[in-house]
Structure formats: structure tokens, C-alpha cells
Amino acid sequence: MFTTQFRDELGRLLGERARSDPRVVGAALVGSAATGGQDRWSDIDLALQIADGVDPADVADEWTAWLRAEQDVADTLDVHGAGTLFRVFLLANSLQVDLSFWRRESFRATEPGFRVLFGTPTRATEPNLPDPADLIAMAWLHALHSRSAVARDRLWQASIMLDGIRERLISLACLRHGLNPHQGRGVDRLPVGELDALAATRPCAVEPEELRRAHAAGLAALAEEAARHDEGLADRLAPALQALTLTQ
């Protein structure tokens, strides 16, 4: 397990390398380090602004080779979004290091946590929030497959489908409360009563009776959540959600 001292020292080295790399014209801390919310479990998240005429992928590969030479890197994962390459490193001591390589004109804050170390970002954008209607639709789609999976005695599949319903319910609740709706980041700040309702949608065992109970709780929670976001949509969904009720 990594120590905070190790993480902070590596973060300092990464910042120094960014300043000394002529192809990097800007850098910013992202996430908890930018908002003062770091704790024992926080990772390193550094955004790099790449100079005009330089391929960010080439810079990413060179930085990867450097980091592999400096540290024991267990694996990497590439995520692409909005023309930006996000390379996630897993170190052998379990520290996560997120390095993102931005084209000069795209370098900007896309979330509240963005503290510029040097360089000039472009105008910040509004957070990319999911559409409640899309979340509701994905929830009822998972409910369809939850029902059929239990009926077919595919109990593990049913459990996964129930997870999908609950994931969308969490995002919908977080949207209503102005919390981060992505990957459960805001869920622990929801009111206790809403967390209790969400807990009821989680099956306690992978067996038919318990899956049926959780399925029913998920449908009830979805009906309530849909009404909070769009009463017209909730009214249209009501007969279908009632028909999705599992019978023995």
C-alpha cells in the first residue's frame, strides 16, 4: 500500500517533469488535489496541455516509458473522451496515477476540481451531466431483463440487472440533489431516507425469493424517482412498471 508521502513526492516529480518538457505548455491538478479534499486514499490526477503541432499520443507514450522506468507500473488503461487521451496507471503499491494529454485548444476545466499549475486553459465548460430520461429508460430496460432472468432461473444475471437498476436510481437521486451523478461519487451524501430506499433494492442473497423482493423494491423506487423528474413520463410508465412485477 502506498503512503501519502510517496504519493506527494511522485506528484511533485510529475509536476517538475511537466515544467521541464517543452512539449507541455500547461498543467493542472484535477479532482481532490485541486479542491483540497485529498485523503489517505486519493490518487494523482494531472492534466497536461500539449503544444500545437505535437501529437498528444506521442507525449503520452514517452511519459509512459519514463514512468515505467521510474516506478513499478502494474498496468495501464487508456480512456478517450472529447479528443483527449486519459491514461490511467496502476502502480504495484496500488497507487492510481491519472495523466491526461490535452490538445492546446481543448485544455480546460470540465469539472469543479481543476487547479492550474501553469499555462493558460481555455474557457471552462459546464459539467457533462446525464439526461434523466436516458437514466430512467436504462433502469426500466434493466428491469425487463431482471424479470426474465429470475423467471428463467438465471439468478446471477438477475442480480447484475438489479445492480443496473440501482446504479441509475443513484444517478437520478444525485442529479436532484446537485451531487456528482457519476460512478456513485455523490451517493454517500444523499439523505438517509433515500439511502434506506436504495438499500432495499439490493438483494441480500442470489436466490429467487430475495431477487423478487429486490426487483419489486427497484420498480417502486423507479416509479417514485421518475415522478420526481418528469410526472408525465412517470404516468406513461406506470402501467408498464406494474406489468413488470414478478409473480411466482
Side-chain angles (χ1 to χ4, degrees), residues 140-180:
W140 60 248
L141 181 61
H142 279 78
L144 278 167
H145 292 288
S146 168
R147 178 185 65 176
S148 60
V150 173
R152 293 166 175 159
D153 205 31
R154 297 176 181 173
L155 305 186
W156 279 101
Q157 182 189 14
S159 178
I160 292 170
M161 293 300 105
L162 290 171
D163 288 344
I165 299 171
R166 187 172 56 259
E167 179 181 344
R168 274 71 186 187
L169 291 172
I170 287 171
S171 293
L172 287 162
C174 286
L175 282 174
R176 283 191 293 103
H177 289 278
L179 301 172
N180 191 329

CSV table of all heavy atoms in Angstrom, one decimal, residues 140-180:
chain,number,residue,atom,x,y,z
A,140,TRP,N,-35.6,1.0,-16.7
A,140,TRP,CA,-36.7,0.1,-17.0
A,140,TRP,C,-36.2,-1.0,-17.9
A,140,TRP,O,-36.7,-2.2,-17.9
A,140,TRP,CB,-37.9,0.8,-17.5
A,140,TRP,CG,-37.9,1.6,-18.7
A,140,TRP,CD1,-38.1,3.0,-18.8
A,140,TRP,CD2,-37.8,1.2,-20.1
A,140,TRP,NE1,-38.0,3.4,-20.1
A,140,TRP,CE2,-37.8,2.3,-21.0
A,140,TRP,CE3,-37.6,-0.1,-20.7
A,140,TRP,CZ2,-37.7,2.3,-22.3
A,140,TRP,CZ3,-37.5,-0.1,-22.1
A,140,TRP,CH2,-37.6,1.0,-22.9
A,141,LEU,N,-35.2,-0.7,-18.7
A,141,LEU,CA,-34.6,-1.8,-19.6
A,141,LEU,C,-34.0,-2.9,-18.7
A,141,LEU,O,-34.2,-4.1,-19.0
A,141,LEU,CB,-33.6,-1.2,-20.5
A,141,LEU,CG,-32.9,-2.2,-21.5
A,141,LEU,CD1,-33.9,-2.8,-22.4
A,141,LEU,CD2,-31.8,-1.5,-22.3
A,142,HIS,N,-33.2,-2.5,-17.7
A,142,HIS,CA,-32.7,-3.5,-16.8
A,142,HIS,C,-33.7,-4.2,-16.0
A,142,HIS,O,-33.6,-5.4,-15.8
A,142,HIS,CB,-31.7,-2.8,-15.8
A,142,HIS,CG,-30.3,-2.6,-16.4
A,142,HIS,ND1,-30.1,-1.5,-17.2
A,142,HIS,CD2,-29.2,-3.2,-16.2
A,142,HIS,CE1,-28.8,-1.5,-17.6
A,142,HIS,NE2,-28.2,-2.6,-17.0
A,143,ALA,N,-34.8,-3.5,-15.7
A,143,ALA,CA,-35.9,-4.2,-15.0
A,143,ALA,C,-36.6,-5.3,-15.9
A,143,ALA,O,-37.0,-6.3,-15.4
A,143,ALA,CB,-37.0,-3.2,-14.6
A,144,LEU,N,-36.7,-5.0,-17.2
A,144,LEU,CA,-37.2,-6.0,-18.1
A,144,LEU,C,-36.4,-7.3,-18.0
A,144,LEU,O,-36.9,-8.4,-17.9
A,144,LEU,CB,-37.2,-5.5,-19.5
A,144,LEU,CG,-38.4,-4.6,-20.0
A,144,LEU,CD1,-38.0,-3.9,-21.3
A,144,LEU,CD2,-39.6,-5.4,-20.1
A,145,HIS,N,-35.1,-7.1,-18.1
A,145,HIS,CA,-34.2,-8.3,-18.1
A,145,HIS,C,-34.0,-8.9,-16.7
A,145,HIS,O,-33.8,-10.1,-16.6
A,145,HIS,CB,-32.8,-7.9,-18.6
A,145,HIS,CG,-32.8,-7.5,-20.1
A,145,HIS,ND1,-33.0,-8.5,-21.0
A,145,HIS,CD2,-32.8,-6.3,-20.7
A,145,HIS,CE1,-33.0,-7.9,-22.2
A,145,HIS,NE2,-32.8,-6.6,-22.1
A,146,SER,N,-34.2,-8.1,-15.6
A,146,SER,CA,-34.3,-8.7,-14.3
A,146,SER,C,-35.5,-9.6,-14.2
A,146,SER,O,-35.3,-10.8,-13.6
A,146,SER,CB,-34.4,-7.5,-13.3
A,146,SER,OG,-34.7,-8.1,-12.0
A,147,ARG,N,-36.6,-9.2,-14.6
A,147,ARG,CA,-37.8,-10.1,-14.5
A,147,ARG,C,-37.6,-11.4,-15.3
A,147,ARG,O,-37.8,-12.5,-14.8
A,147,ARG,CB,-39.0,-9.3,-15.1
A,147,ARG,CG,-40.3,-10.2,-15.1
A,147,ARG,CD,-41.4,-9.5,-15.8
A,147,ARG,NE,-41.2,-9.3,-17.2
A,147,ARG,CZ,-42.1,-8.8,-18.1
A,147,ARG,NH1,-43.3,-8.4,-17.6
A,147,ARG,NH2,-41.8,-8.6,-19.4
A,148,SER,N,-37.1,-11.3,-16.5
A,148,SER,CA,-37.0,-12.5,-17.3
A,148,SER,C,-35.9,-13.4,-16.8
A,148,SER,O,-36.0,-14.6,-16.8
A,148,SER,CB,-36.7,-12.2,-18.8
A,148,SER,OG,-35.5,-11.4,-18.9
A,149,ALA,N,-34.8,-12.8,-16.2
A,149,ALA,CA,-33.7,-13.6,-15.7
A,149,ALA,C,-34.2,-14.4,-14.5
A,149,ALA,O,-33.8,-15.6,-14.4
A,149,ALA,CB,-32.5,-12.7,-15.3
A,150,VAL,N,-35.0,-13.8,-13.6
A,150,VAL,CA,-35.5,-14.6,-12.5
A,150,VAL,C,-36.4,-15.7,-12.9
A,150,VAL,O,-36.3,-16.8,-12.5
A,150,VAL,CB,-36.2,-13.6,-11.5
A,150,VAL,CG1,-36.9,-14.4,-10.4
A,150,VAL,CG2,-35.2,-12.6,-10.9
A,151,ALA,N,-37.3,-15.3,-13.9
A,151,ALA,CA,-38.2,-16.3,-14.4
A,151,ALA,C,-37.5,-17.5,-15.0
A,151,ALA,O,-38.0,-18.6,-15.0
A,151,ALA,CB,-39.2,-15.7,-15.4
A,152,ARG,N,-36.4,-17.3,-15.6
A,152,ARG,CA,-35.6,-18.3,-16.3
A,152,ARG,C,-34.6,-19.0,-15.4
A,152,ARG,O,-33.9,-19.8,-15.8
A,152,ARG,CB,-34.9,-17.7,-17.5
A,152,ARG,CG,-35.8,-17.3,-18.6
A,152,ARG,CD,-35.1,-16.4,-19.6
A,152,ARG,NE,-35.9,-16.0,-20.8
A,152,ARG,CZ,-35.7,-15.0,-21.6
A,152,ARG,NH1,-34.6,-14.2,-21.3
A,152,ARG,NH2,-36.5,-14.7,-22.6
A,153,ASP,N,-34.7,-18.6,-14.1
A,153,ASP,CA,-33.7,-19.2,-13.1
A,153,ASP,C,-32.3,-18.9,-13.4
A,153,ASP,O,-31.4,-19.6,-13.1
A,153,ASP,CB,-33.9,-20.7,-13.0
A,153,ASP,CG,-33.5,-21.3,-11.7
A,153,ASP,OD1,-33.6,-20.5,-10.7
A,153,ASP,OD2,-33.0,-22.4,-11.6
A,154,ARG,N,-32.1,-17.7,-14.1
A,154,ARG,CA,-30.7,-17.2,-14.3
A,154,ARG,C,-30.4,-16.2,-13.2
A,154,ARG,O,-30.5,-14.9,-13.4
A,154,ARG,CB,-30.6,-16.6,-15.7
A,154,ARG,CG,-30.9,-17.6,-16.8
A,154,ARG,CD,-30.9,-16.9,-18.2
A,154,ARG,NE,-31.1,-17.8,-19.3
A,154,ARG,CZ,-31.3,-17.5,-20.5
A,154,ARG,NH1,-31.2,-16.2,-20.9
A,154,ARG,NH2,-31.5,-18.4,-21.5
A,155,LEU,N,-30.1,-16.7,-12.0
A,155,LEU,CA,-30.1,-15.8,-10.8
A,155,LEU,C,-29.0,-14.8,-10.8
A,155,LEU,O,-29.2,-13.7,-10.3
A,155,LEU,CB,-30.1,-16.7,-9.6
A,155,LEU,CG,-31.3,-17.8,-9.6
A,155,LEU,CD1,-31.3,-18.5,-8.2
A,155,LEU,CD2,-32.6,-17.1,-9.8
A,156,TRP,N,-27.8,-15.2,-11.3
A,156,TRP,CA,-26.7,-14.3,-11.3
A,156,TRP,C,-26.9,-13.2,-12.3
A,156,TRP,O,-26.6,-12.0,-12.0
A,156,TRP,CB,-25.4,-15.0,-11.5
A,156,TRP,CG,-24.9,-15.7,-10.3
A,156,TRP,CD1,-25.0,-17.0,-9.9
A,156,TRP,CD2,-24.2,-15.0,-9.2
A,156,TRP,NE1,-24.4,-17.2,-8.7
A,156,TRP,CE2,-23.9,-16.0,-8.2
A,156,TRP,CE3,-23.8,-13.7,-8.9
A,156,TRP,CZ2,-23.3,-15.7,-7.0
A,156,TRP,CZ3,-23.2,-13.4,-7.8
A,156,TRP,CH2,-22.9,-14.4,-6.8
A,157,GLN,N,-27.5,-13.5,-13.4
A,157,GLN,CA,-27.8,-12.5,-14.4
A,157,GLN,C,-28.8,-11.5,-13.8
A,157,GLN,O,-28.7,-10.3,-14.0
A,157,GLN,CB,-28.4,-13.1,-15.7
A,157,GLN,CG,-28.7,-12.0,-16.7
A,157,GLN,CD,-29.5,-12.6,-17.9
A,157,GLN,OE1,-30.0,-13.7,-17.9
A,157,GLN,NE2,-29.5,-11.8,-19.0
A,158,ALA,N,-29.8,-12.1,-13.1
A,158,ALA,CA,-30.8,-11.2,-12.5
A,158,ALA,C,-30.2,-10.2,-11.5
A,158,ALA,O,-30.5,-9.1,-11.4
A,158,ALA,CB,-31.9,-12.0,-11.7
A,159,SER,N,-29.2,-10.7,-10.7
A,159,SER,CA,-28.5,-9.9,-9.8
A,159,SER,C,-27.8,-8.7,-10.4
A,159,SER,O,-27.8,-7.6,-10.0
A,159,SER,CB,-27.5,-10.7,-9.0
A,159,SER,OG,-26.8,-10.0,-8.1
A,160,ILE,N,-27.2,-9.0,-11.6
A,160,ILE,CA,-26.5,-8.0,-12.3
A,160,ILE,C,-27.5,-7.0,-12.9
A,160,ILE,O,-27.2,-5.8,-12.9
A,160,ILE,CB,-25.7,-8.6,-13.5
A,160,ILE,CG1,-24.5,-9.5,-12.9
A,160,ILE,CG2,-25.1,-7.6,-14.5
A,160,ILE,CD1,-23.8,-10.3,-13.9
A,161,MET,N,-28.6,-7.4,-13.4
A,161,MET,CA,-29.6,-6.5,-13.9
A,161,MET,C,-30.2,-5.6,-12.8
A,161,MET,O,-30.4,-4.4,-13.0
A,161,MET,CB,-30.8,-7.3,-14.5
A,161,MET,CG,-30.4,-8.0,-15.8
A,161,MET,SD,-29.8,-6.9,-17.1
A,161,MET,CE,-28.0,-7.3,-17.0
A,162,LEU,N,-30.3,-6.1,-11.6
A,162,LEU,CA,-30.8,-5.3,-10.4
A,162,LEU,C,-29.7,-4.3,-10.1
A,162,LEU,O,-30.1,-3.2,-9.7
A,162,LEU,CB,-31.1,-6.2,-9.2
A,162,LEU,CG,-32.3,-7.1,-9.4
A,162,LEU,CD1,-32.4,-8.1,-8.2
A,162,LEU,CD2,-33.6,-6.3,-9.4
A,163,ASP,N,-28.4,-4.6,-10.2
A,163,ASP,CA,-27.4,-3.7,-10.0
A,163,ASP,C,-27.5,-2.5,-11.0
A,163,ASP,O,-27.3,-1.3,-10.6
A,163,ASP,CB,-26.0,-4.3,-10.1
A,163,ASP,CG,-25.6,-5.2,-9.0
A,163,ASP,OD1,-26.3,-5.2,-7.9
A,163,ASP,OD2,-24.7,-6.0,-9.2
A,164,GLY,N,-27.9,-2.8,-12.2
A,164,GLY,CA,-28.1,-1.8,-13.2
A,164,GLY,C,-29.2,-0.8,-12.9
A,164,GLY,O,-29.1,0.4,-13.1
A,165,ILE,N,-30.3,-1.4,-12.4
A,165,ILE,CA,-31.4,-0.5,-11.9
A,165,ILE,C,-31.0,0.4,-10.8
A,165,ILE,O,-31.2,1.6,-10.9
A,165,ILE,CB,-32.6,-1.4,-11.4
A,165,ILE,CG1,-33.1,-2.3,-12.5
A,165,ILE,CG2,-33.7,-0.4,-10.9
A,165,ILE,CD1,-34.2,-3.3,-12.0
A,166,ARG,N,-30.3,-0.1,-9.8
A,166,ARG,CA,-29.9,0.7,-8.7
A,166,ARG,C,-28.9,1.8,-9.1
A,166,ARG,O,-28.9,2.9,-8.6
A,166,ARG,CB,-29.3,-0.2,-7.6
A,166,ARG,CG,-29.0,0.5,-6.3
A,166,ARG,CD,-28.6,-0.4,-5.2
A,166,ARG,NE,-27.5,-1.3,-5.6
A,166,ARG,CZ,-27.6,-2.6,-6.0
A,166,ARG,NH1,-28.8,-3.1,-6.0
A,166,ARG,NH2,-26.6,-3.3,-6.3
A,167,GLU,N,-28.0,1.4,-10.0
A,167,GLU,CA,-27.0,2.4,-10.5
A,167,GLU,C,-27.7,3.6,-11.1
A,167,GLU,O,-27.3,4.8,-10.8
A,167,GLU,CB,-26.1,1.7,-11.5
A,167,GLU,CG,-25.0,2.7,-12.1
A,167,GLU,CD,-24.1,2.0,-13.1
A,167,GLU,OE1,-24.1,0.8,-13.2
A,167,GLU,OE2,-23.4,2.7,-13.9
A,168,ARG,N,-28.7,3.4,-11.9
A,168,ARG,CA,-29.4,4.5,-12.5
A,168,ARG,C,-30.2,5.3,-11.4
A,168,ARG,O,-30.3,6.5,-11.5
A,168,ARG,CB,-30.3,4.1,-13.6
A,168,ARG,CG,-29.6,3.9,-14.9
A,168,ARG,CD,-28.6,2.8,-15.0
A,168,ARG,NE,-27.9,2.8,-16.2
A,168,ARG,CZ,-27.0,1.8,-16.5
A,168,ARG,NH1,-26.9,0.7,-15.7
A,168,ARG,NH2,-26.3,1.8,-17.6
A,169,LEU,N,-30.8,4.6,-10.5
A,169,LEU,CA,-31.5,5.3,-9.4
A,169,LEU,C,-30.6,6.2,-8.6
A,169,LEU,O,-31.0,7.3,-8.2
A,169,LEU,CB,-32.2,4.2,-8.5
A,169,LEU,CG,-33.3,3.4,-9.0
A,169,LEU,CD1,-33.7,2.3,-8.1
A,169,LEU,CD2,-34.5,4.3,-9.4
A,170,ILE,N,-29.4,5.7,-8.4
A,170,ILE,CA,-28.4,6.5,-7.6
A,170,ILE,C,-28.1,7.8,-8.4
A,170,ILE,O,-28.1,8.9,-7.9
A,170,ILE,CB,-27.2,5.7,-7.3
A,170,ILE,CG1,-27.5,4.7,-6.2
A,170,ILE,CG2,-26.0,6.6,-6.9
A,170,ILE,CD1,-26.3,3.7,-6.0
A,171,SER,N,-27.9,7.7,-9.7
A,171,SER,CA,-27.5,8.8,-10.6
A,171,SER,C,-28.7,9.8,-10.6
A,171,SER,O,-28.5,11.0,-10.5
A,171,SER,CB,-27.2,8.4,-12.0
A,171,SER,OG,-26.0,7.6,-12.0
A,172,LEU,N,-29.9,9.3,-10.7
A,172,LEU,CA,-31.1,10.2,-10.7
A,172,LEU,C,-31.2,10.9,-9.4
A,172,LEU,O,-31.5,12.2,-9.4
A,172,LEU,CB,-32.4,9.4,-11.0
A,172,LEU,CG,-32.5,8.9,-12.4
A,172,LEU,CD1,-33.5,7.7,-12.4
A,172,LEU,CD2,-32.9,10.0,-13.3
A,173,ALA,N,-31.0,10.3,-8.3
A,173,ALA,CA,-31.1,10.9,-7.0
A,173,ALA,C,-30.0,12.0,-6.8
A,173,ALA,O,-30.3,13.1,-6.3
A,173,ALA,CB,-31.0,9.9,-5.8
A,174,CYS,N,-28.8,11.6,-7.2
A,174,CYS,CA,-27.7,12.6,-7.1
A,174,CYS,C,-28.0,13.8,-8.0
A,174,CYS,O,-27.7,15.0,-7.6
A,174,CYS,CB,-26.4,12.0,-7.6
A,174,CYS,SG,-25.8,10.8,-6.3
A,175,LEU,N,-28.6,13.7,-9.2
A,175,LEU,CA,-28.9,14.8,-10.0
A,175,LEU,C,-29.9,15.7,-9.3
A,175,LEU,O,-29.7,17.0,-9.3
A,175,LEU,CB,-29.5,14.3,-11.3
A,175,LEU,CG,-28.6,13.8,-12.4
A,175,LEU,CD1,-29.4,13.3,-13.6
A,175,LEU,CD2,-27.7,14.9,-12.9
A,176,ARG,N,-30.9,15.2,-8.6
A,176,ARG,CA,-31.9,16.0,-7.9
A,176,ARG,C,-31.2,16.8,-6.8
A,176,ARG,O,-31.6,17.9,-6.5
A,176,ARG,CB,-33.0,15.1,-7.3
A,176,ARG,CG,-34.0,14.6,-8.3
A,176,ARG,CD,-35.2,14.0,-7.6
A,176,ARG,NE,-34.8,12.8,-6.9
A,176,ARG,CZ,-34.7,12.6,-5.6
A,176,ARG,NH1,-34.8,13.7,-4.8
A,176,ARG,NH2,-34.4,11.5,-5.1
A,177,HIS,N,-30.2,16.3,-6.2
A,177,HIS,CA,-29.6,16.9,-5.0
A,177,HIS,C,-28.3,17.7,-5.4
A,177,HIS,O,-27.6,18.2,-4.5
A,177,HIS,CB,-29.3,15.9,-3.9
A,177,HIS,CG,-30.4,15.3,-3.2
A,177,HIS,ND1,-31.1,16.0,-2.2
A,177,HIS,CD2,-31.2,14.2,-3.5
A,177,HIS,CE1,-32.1,15.3,-1.8
A,177,HIS,NE2,-32.2,14.2,-2.5
A,178,GLY,N,-28.1,17.9,-6.7
A,178,GLY,CA,-26.9,18.6,-7.1
A,178,GLY,C,-25.6,18.0,-6.8
A,178,GLY,O,-24.6,18.6,-6.6
A,179,LEU,N,-25.6,16.6,-6.7
A,179,LEU,CA,-24.4,15.9,-6.3
A,179,LEU,C,-23.8,15.2,-7.6
A,179,LEU,O,-24.5,15.1,-8.6
A,179,LEU,CB,-24.7,14.8,-5.3
A,179,LEU,CG,-25.3,15.3,-4.0
A,179,LEU,CD1,-25.7,14.1,-3.1
A,179,LEU,CD2,-24.2,16.2,-3.2
A,180,ASN,N,-22.6,14.8,-7.5
A,180,ASN,CA,-21.9,14.2,-8.7
A,180,ASN,C,-22.7,12.9,-9.0
A,180,ASN,O,-22.7,12.0,-8.1
A,180,ASN,CB,-20.5,13.9,-8.4
A,180,ASN,CG,-19.7,13.5,-9.6
A,180,ASN,OD1,-20.2,12.8,-10.5
A,180,ASN,ND2,-18.4,13.8,-9.6
